[in-house]
Amino acid sequence: MDALPAPKLVSLIDNPDGPYRDSPEGWWTERGGALDVRSGVVYFPPGSNPPPSPFRDEET
């Protein structure tokens, strides 16, 4: 039995079949994110500049 080839890592934003493929421009774009128009979820990949969360204490 042959081993499977190593998987190719693809960002959710760059995946042509992923949920963020048709992301419209918005405030998330300038911060490196993308919007899934179906669910309304904004995704920020590692290394992007997401805004601070209003649900998280600044001291933690």
Side-chain angles (χ1 to χ4, degrees), residues 6-45:
K8 180 181 177 189
L9 298 178
V10 178
S11 164
L12 285 175
I13 292 176
D14 298 328
N15 184 349
D17 299 320
Y20 301 96
R21 69 182 175 276
D22 296 325
S23 176
E25 296 288 318
W27 62 266
W28 48 85
T29 309
E30 63 192 41
R31 294 183 167 272
L35 172 71
D36 177 359
V37 294
R38 189 173 197 185
S39 70
V41 172
V42 174
Y43 171 73
F44 293 101

